[in-house]
Amino acid sequence: MSPVGKFLLLGMLAALLASLGDACAANAPRSLQQLRHTAWTSRDGAPPEVWALAQSGDGYLWLGTGGGLYRFDGTSFEKFRPVKGESLPSLNVNSLLATRSGDLWIGFASGALARLSAGHLTTFDLGLPPVPVLELSEDRAGGIWAALGEGDRGGVARFRQGRWEIFGRSRGVAAGAATSVLGAVDGSVWVAADGELEVLRPGADRFLRVAASASDRPKLKQSPDGAIWLTTGARPGLQRVAASPAQATPTWIVPPMTVNPRAESILFDRHGNLWGTYGSGGVFRLDGVGLGGSALVAGAKARFGLESGLTSNLANPILEDREGNVWVGTNLGLDQFRETSAVVATGLPTDSRNGFRIARGPSGSMYVTSSDALFTAGPDHIARKLIRLPRRPLILHTDALSRTWIGTDRTLGILSGVTVRDVPLPWGNRRPFALLEETAGRICVSSVEGAFCRKGGGWTPEPRLGTPGILPMQMLRDAAGRIWIAEGNRIEMVDESARRLFSARNDLALGTVVVIAVRGRHVYAGGDFGLARFDGRRFVTLRSDVHPFLSRTAGIVETAEGDLWLNTVAGVVHIARDDLDEAFAHGGRPVKARVFDRDDGMPGVAQQDSWSQTAIEASDGRLWFVTRLGLAWIDPKRLSFNALPPPVIIKSLVSGGRIYAAAAPIRLPQGTSNLQIAYTAPSLSVPSRVRFRYQLEGVDDDWVDPGNRREAFYTGLKPGSYRFRLMAANDDGVWNRRGATLEFEIRPTFFQSWPFYLLCAVLALALLWLGYSLRMRAVSERIRARMNERLDERERIARELHDTLLQSVQGLIMRFSNIAQDIATIPPAHHDMLDALDSADAVVVEGRDRVQALRRWSGTRSLSDAVGQTAERLLQPEEIETRVIVEGAERTVYPAVADELLRITDEALFNVARHAGARNVTIAIEFGTKALMLRIIDDGIGIGIAPTAAAQGGVAGHFGLVGMRERAEKIDGKLAITPGPVGGTQVEVTVAAEIAYGDRPRPIWLAWWRRFSTERSDG
């Protein structure tokens, strides 16, 4: 191979190795110091003396303490209280085990054991002298193993097929205390007892000794590569033993040293890192040793103690939950370690009076200035101080030639090794200024005194970039060669010799422009009130009143993929490219974004600085952000995402001061209307971001979004059966849509039951009937009053006729009688006079009949008799056969009504006699309970006019039918004149019973009541 080919091959191998190195670095686990640490103490409700940890299948973190058993859902600690009739054998819990079947086993310092299954507690007594249950483990077959030990007493026990079995010397277990038991993945069981390590292989019935040091209360764990690890105090360190029967020489690993190097507990996380706790030294971690190989030697070591924020250096249990968080229990509280998307840069001051400035450094590192120093910070090392700065830095910039420029309020310098070489400014007086790299290596500065540029030599004026009388804050050049200058609340664009100004009048509604940024041809501006992007003609602004997380945008980075990352007072905001384009196309719509804040590892919110960018992309693709409390970086290719939906638990229902467990359907007391339902979702990573949705079927029309509130309240509920449904989402918006349900029933009181409603309906109907009856009675009374008035008037007329006309006529007759006697001697005159007197007598008789007719109806006559007499008078019985039919029990008819009915009968029969040519007439009187009906039917030639004319009152100029209809209306009756069923005519009059009858029957209920009262009095 030629030298050139060898050189090219070496170059390709170097590039490949570099890329592999970058990939390995990107996927490397975060150091212990880079993890997010959260602590809970008694001030947060956490119990002290945490000696055991376990996570059950429902997501709860269980804590075994010296004061009882607790469970934690990420927000609150709840002491376990057994159901009525059950109790814990002790409050001093030593060990916990959550099994694959969902049970929780509890070991006590008293030697007792208990199993919590489906909410019920079962206690077991091993029948041994009381020694603490130090550890519990589950083997591959589901058997439960317990290590019992104190001093030189103890042993090993197994629970299988419903009973406990003790393993002693006869089964190969050394006599004395057993401090640890481990069910291995291959089905074997390992025990550390009385200073020995023993193993029960699959299929064997006896433990065999393994050559290893198991002294000083060892604890056992199996690493991902299958090895068995022991903690031991015989010599400082941890011991690794091969799990296979072929024995190998144990390997010793030395963790970070403390005063008391004996480890209390160890754990291998999902990345193969070994975690351990010290009895007086906090927490330590050995990176990658669980994967074997070179990591046993090269793995990084770190310790985290009280000085770093641990609740106490006296730490014991350690656990990794199903979301990848590591939990540590101490004698003073509970600690959590978890990976976050944002990683805080360590080694920098936690506060800088004048803020921080950042610029790109070599190989993915960053240059950082504080108030008085320059640092270099990287993702894989602690920040190192390079030099002390004599003045307050305002500008930090690395140009295309890898020169780092540092500007203060009066000077400009270039970093050279560990010193800063001063570059005199083009003006003599102290002036704030802005710096711009116009082209590669050509640096320009601008202040109120003008703009100057240099490349290699001295400064030369550049009037094109000047802003006379205005102090520029920031200056940038885009890919098209345009210069953008931030000037307070406006931006000026310089395009060769042309200039254009953008302000609020041109849609740049940002308030103070805090930052400007470019990526290719995209130009962004951030400010007090949002984010703006130049679309080629103008700036389009996304206002913070519509998008609150865009308020006070102080840092902007657009990645090569087109995504936008912003540093704002809400935190770091990530907007995907498509969502960003959609937002600028429709500014009034909410934009989809992800916000990274303190829960994601950010040390604070964006530093508010109008002189420099607070967000920069490093050469390795990581994004660095400046806050008032320091720096943090985010790797866009390695964002933490919790893909595990949270379990959803309805804890209880509370009503009337009573708590109901959310188990079987709940039956609430009568009259219940108000209640509250407590629920949770044990997602332990960021519980403050867990969101809920619930719906009470039949009450809520749609899902209710209470945010992260963990109680639902309902008032004014009615009796019935209800179903409460609940869903939850974890911190990254992954929903558990299956959720949980709770069914409950509210029993009705008597006043809410259907018999009561039926009674109310009956009462309402009775009231309606009573009202109707009273109304009809009032109407009847008014009609009768009107008829009585008419009858009174008729009687008055009758009296007047009787007292005046008839008496006068009678007097005249008497005088003419006397005269007739005097002229008896004159025969013709006497005969004529007698004829005249006969006629006068006939007039008197007829007048008396008329007077009698004007008098009231006599109640001594029945209506049927009166109708029959009228028929005999008007119809010739020898020519027209007449029948009067009475239907129902005959009742007394109100006189005025009877009178009108007789008048209608007179007119109807008169028409029959004169016009019908009938042979038969039937008069039917029906005494109904609801109405009185008079029906006159003849078999004559039929009515001589059209039915519509009859309905309207007859033929013009004839008043018979009109009179009949008017008489019917006077008694609130209905008159119908229709063709008869077999020819002829039918006249039918219907009058309501309340109006027609003169006898008023007492109501049925009153009759029954009187009958009941009589029977009681007789009894």
Side-chain angles (χ1 to χ4, degrees):
M1 181 181 291
S2 66
V4 175
K6 292 180 180 180
F7 179 77
L8 291 175
L9 180 59
L10 289 174
M12 293 174 63
L13 288 175
L16 179 60
L17 290 174
S19 63
L20 289 175
D22 291 341
C24 292
N27 294 321
R30 304 274 167 81
S31 69
L32 181 57
Q33 300 298 330
Q34 290 177 338
L35 298 179
R36 171 79 170 172
H37 170 250
T38 307
W40 290 266
T41 64
S42 57
R43 290 176 297 180
D44 309 299
E49 296 185 323
V50 181
W51 306 130
L53 293 172
Q55 186 179 28
S56 53
D58 56 10
Y60 275 112
L61 183 68
W62 292 85
L63 290 72
T65 76
L69 180 65
Y70 291 78
R71 66 180 185 180
F72 182 52
D73 64 356
T75 60
S76 61
F77 295 88
E78 180 182 359
K79 190 171 185 177
F80 171 73
R81 303 184 187 281
V83 299
K84 187 176 181 180
E86 300 174 357
S87 62
L88 292 170
S90 169
L91 290 180
N92 195 357
V93 180
N94 264 15
S95 54
L96 294 172
L97 171 66
T99 66
R100 294 187 295 271
S101 64
D103 295 342
L104 180 71
W105 285 87
I106 311 162
F108 298 90
S110 63
L113 282 154
R115 179 181 63 192
L116 182 63
S117 180
H120 291 278
L121 195 68
T122 305
T123 303
F124 299 91
D125 186 359
L126 302 183
L128 297 176
V131 289
V133 181
L134 298 181
E135 193 169 45
L136 294 165
S137 184
E138 182 179 17
D139 62 26
R140 191 173 63 181
I144 306 301
W145 293 81
L148 315 170
E150 184 177 51
D152 59 353
R153 297 181 300 116
V156 178
R158 179 179 67 183
F159 182 80
R160 188 173 64 173
Q161 297 179 351
R163 66 183 186 89
W164 283 95
E165 177 184 8
I166 307 299
F167 283 71
R169 284 183 179 275
S170 61
R171 304 291 292 273
V173 178
T179 58
S180 185
V181 61
L182 170 69
V185 295
D186 64 354
S188 60
V189 178
W190 296 74
V191 173
D194 196 31
E196 297 182 4
L197 179 64
E198 297 152 344
V199 60
L200 179 67
R201 300 292 180 183
D205 61 357
R206 180 181 177 83
F207 281 88
L208 300 176
R209 185 177 180 183
V210 178
S213 174
S215 62
D216 201 5
R217 298 191 326 190
K219 292 291 185 180
L220 303 175
K221 276 295 183 291
Q222 187 171 28
S223 58
D225 63 356
I228 304 300
W229 289 70
L230 293 82
T231 68
T232 176
R235 50 185 284 194
L238 305 171
Q239 192 175 7
R240 179 181 184 274
V241 178
S244 62
Q247 297 300 310
T249 303
T251 303
W252 287 87
I253 305 295
V254 181
M257 287 292 96
T258 64
V259 176
N260 181 3
R262 182 176 58 82
E264 294 289 342
S265 297
I266 56 175
L267 163 77
F268 287 95
D269 66 20
R270 62 190 61 189
H271 301 297
N273 304 319
L274 187 150
W275 294 72
T277 57
Y278 291 121
S280 60
V283 179
F284 68 86
R285 194 179 83 171
L286 307 178
D287 291 351
V289 296
L291 303 178
S294 60
L296 292 173
V297 179
K301 304 176 182 179
R303 193 184 72 83
F304 194 98
L306 182 65
E307 70 284 355
S308 301
L310 199 69
T311 53
S312 171
N313 276 338
L314 201 165
N316 193 331
I318 188 165
L319 169 79
E320 182 183 29
D321 67 23
R322 61 183 192 165
E323 295 171 272
N325 309 302
V326 174
W327 297 84
V328 176
T330 75
N331 68 321
L332 293 180
L334 183 68
D335 296 79
Q336 180 201 59
F337 297 86
R338 64 183 176 89
E339 285 195 9
T340 55
S341 295
V343 179
V344 176
T346 57
L348 293 171
T350 56
D351 188 18
S352 176
R353 185 181 60 207
N354 297 308
F356 300 93
R357 307 289 183 274
I358 56 174
R360 283 188 179 183
S363 303
S365 64
M366 300 296 292
Y367 289 116
V368 185
T369 62
S370 64
S371 297
D372 57 0
L374 175 68
F375 297 82
T376 177
D380 54 356
H381 63 81
I382 298 175
R384 297 187 294 269
K385 181 187 286 188
L386 296 180
I387 56 173
R388 182 174 179 82
L389 300 175
R391 297 184 181 87
R392 177 169 65 99
L394 296 177
I395 297 173
L396 187 62
H397 175 73
T398 300
D399 64 17
L401 303 180
S402 298
R403 298 176 298 179
T404 301
W405 298 78
I406 304 173
T408 70
D409 56 358
R410 66 179 68 183
T411 62
L412 181 65
I414 300 177
L415 178 64
S416 177
V418 293
T419 62
V420 177
R421 179 168 57 87
D422 189 55
V423 177
L425 290 169
W427 45 78
N429 297 328
R430 174 180 174 179
R431 290 278 185 265
F433 62 92
L435 183 142
L436 165 71
E437 184 177 7
E438 188 199 19
T439 58
R442 187 169 190 257
I443 301 298
C444 301
V445 293
S446 178
S447 72
V448 293
E449 295 191 5
F452 300 84
C453 297
R454 64 177 292 160
K455 187 173 184 179
W459 298 99
T460 58
E462 186 57 72
R464 183 172 64 95
L465 303 179
T467 55
I470 299 175
L471 175 63
M473 308 301 290
Q474 295 178 43
M475 303 173 67
L476 288 175
R477 179 181 184 274
D478 65 15
R482 298 172 297 190
I483 306 299
W484 299 85
I485 308 172
E487 303 170 354
N489 61 356
R490 63 183 193 174
I491 295 176
E492 193 169 2
M493 180 188 72
V494 179
D495 188 1
E496 295 182 352
S497 60
R499 306 176 76 92
R500 185 179 175 188
L501 192 64
F502 300 92
S503 63
R505 296 180 180 179
N506 306 96
D507 299 317
L508 188 67
L510 296 176
T512 300
V513 178
V514 180
V515 64
I516 54 176
V518 299
R519 179 83 185 207
R521 290 181 173 270
H522 281 170
V523 180
Y524 297 93
D528 290 337
F529 305 122
L531 172 73
R533 184 170 76 176
F534 187 64
D535 66 359
R537 298 180 299 106
R538 62 187 182 90
F539 277 94
V540 179
T541 302
L542 301 180
R543 295 274 301 179
S544 58
D545 52 0
V546 179
H547 317 285
F549 47 79
L550 297 180
S551 178
R552 194 68 181 178
T553 300
I556 304 173
V557 173
E558 183 185 271
T559 64
E561 293 78 16
D563 293 354
L564 202 65
W565 292 80
L566 310 172
N567 198 13
T568 76
V569 292
V572 172
V573 180
H574 173 221
I575 307 175
R577 176 179 179 176
D578 294 341
D579 297 326
L580 184 67
D581 293 339
E582 178 72 14
F584 278 113
H586 307 282
R589 299 180 185 175
V591 60
K592 183 180 179 181
R594 183 178 178 185
V595 179
F596 300 84
D597 54 20
R598 293 184 64 87
D599 288 329
D600 298 286
M602 292 297 298
V605 298
Q607 173 179 290
Q608 301 303 309
D609 181 10
S610 298
W611 288 96
S612 64
Q613 260 280 24
T614 63
I616 290 182
E617 183 178 16
S619 59
D620 60 0
R622 289 183 172 90
L623 306 175
W624 290 74
F625 301 93
V626 181
T627 75
R628 291 295 297 179
L629 300 178
L631 270 67
W633 55 266
I634 294 177
D635 187 352
K637 299 178 181 178
R638 189 182 171 184
L639 299 177
S640 295
F641 185 81
N642 187 359
L644 194 65
V648 182
I649 300 172
I650 300 175
K651 298 168 62 176
S652 62
L653 184 151
V654 181
S655 178
R658 182 178 174 185
I659 301 176
Y660 299 85
I666 300 171
R667 298 191 68 187
L668 298 176
Q670 296 176 344
T672 300
S673 61
N674 303 332
L675 55 85
Q676 66 188 67
I677 300 173
Y679 52 82
T680 189
S683 180
L684 302 179
S685 292
V686 190
S688 61
R689 288 187 185 169
V690 174
R691 300 189 65 84
F692 297 91
R693 289 178 185 168
Y694 62 75
Q695 181 185 40
L696 185 60
E697 294 180 353
V699 176
D700 299 322
D701 295 332
D702 202 353
W703 290 94
V704 177
D705 186 356
N708 58 5
R709 193 183 74 232
R710 302 189 179 218
E711 282 184 319
F713 301 88
Y714 288 96
T715 59
L717 295 180
K718 299 178 181 179
S721 297
Y722 294 90
R723 186 168 181 258
F724 180 79
R725 300 170 59 197
L726 177 68
M727 295 191 304
N730 66 10
D731 51 303
D732 284 316
V734 179
W735 284 92
N736 181 339
R737 299 191 179 277
R738 183 178 181 181
T741 59
L742 173 65
E743 295 181 357
F744 61 92
E745 177 186 356
I746 300 177
R747 289 179 290 173
T749 63
F750 171 73
F751 296 104
Q752 296 172 324
S753 62
W754 69 264
F756 177 74
Y757 292 145
L758 181 59
L759 181 62
C760 290
V762 171
L763 181 60
L765 291 175
L767 291 174
L768 289 174
W769 175 82
L770 179 60
Y772 173 77
S773 299
L774 293 176
R775 172 64 178 169
M776 290 302 298
R777 180 164 296 183
V779 171
S780 302
E781 293 295 337
R782 285 199 298 269
I783 293 173
R784 289 175 176 176
R786 289 198 301 270
M787 289 190 294
N788 288 334
E789 291 174 0
R790 185 159 55 85
L791 290 177
D792 290 341
E793 181 65 18
R794 290 172 60 183
E795 287 187 347
R796 185 187 67 81
I797 296 171
R799 287 193 300 271
E800 292 295 330
L801 290 174
H802 181 271
D803 295 342
T804 57
L805 179 62
L806 291 181
Q807 289 183 1
S808 298
V809 172
Q810 188 69 35
L812 288 174
I813 293 173
M814 292 176 66
R815 291 181 65 184
F816 277 111
S817 295
N818 293 332
I819 295 171
Q821 290 177 1
D822 292 340
I823 62 173
T825 56
I826 306 173
H830 183 262
H831 184 267
D832 292 338
M833 181 63 71
L834 290 177
D835 290 340
L837 287 174
D838 291 338
S839 298
D841 288 336
V843 170
V844 171
V845 172
E846 184 178 1
R848 284 175 178 171
D849 290 340
R850 293 298 181 180
V851 169
Q852 181 65 28
L854 289 172
R855 290 287 184 176
R856 290 181 180 269
W857 169 266
S858 174
T860 60
R861 292 192 298 167
S862 67
L863 180 62
S864 59
D865 291 343
V867 169
Q869 292 173 8
T870 302
E872 289 179 0
R873 180 171 54 85
L874 295 177
L875 301 178
Q876 298 179 7
E878 65 276 5
E879 295 182 2
I880 301 176
E881 184 179 349
T882 304
R883 290 188 305 159
V884 178
I885 301 174
V886 177
E887 299 178 6
E890 189 164 359
R891 296 176 59 179
T892 301
V893 180
Y894 196 73
V897 175
D899 186 71
E900 296 296 345
L901 291 176
L902 282 177
R903 299 301 178 188
I904 295 172
T905 303
D906 282 347
E907 183 64 30
L909 295 179
F910 179 78
N911 289 333
V912 170
R914 177 175 295 182
H915 305 293
R919 302 293 300 171
N920 296 282
V921 173
T922 301
I923 302 173
I925 304 173
E926 181 181 341
F927 292 91
T929 58
K930 295 184 177 180
L932 171 64
M933 184 179 297
L934 174 64
R935 190 180 301 111
I936 303 170
I937 306 172
D938 68 75
D939 60 354
I941 60 175
I943 190 168
I945 59 175
T948 55
Q952 294 172 358
V955 180
H958 297 269
F959 301 100
L961 295 182
V962 174
M964 294 169 65
R965 191 166 301 282
E966 289 177 348
R967 290 182 184 279
E969 291 175 354
K970 287 178 181 179
I971 58 176
D972 201 25
K974 296 180 181 179
L975 176 67
I977 303 175
T978 59
V982 291
T985 303
Q986 175 176 298
V987 177
E988 183 178 277
V989 184
T990 305
V991 183
E994 293 83 358
I995 299 173
Y997 300 138
D999 56 336
R1000 299 179 183 176
R1002 77 176 52 126
I1004 269 180
W1005 63 271
L1006 183 57
W1008 278 100
W1009 172 255
R1010 290 191 176 181
R1011 179 179 176 184
F1012 175 71
S1013 301
T1014 303
E1015 290 177 354
R1016 289 187 61 185
S1017 61
D1018 293 342

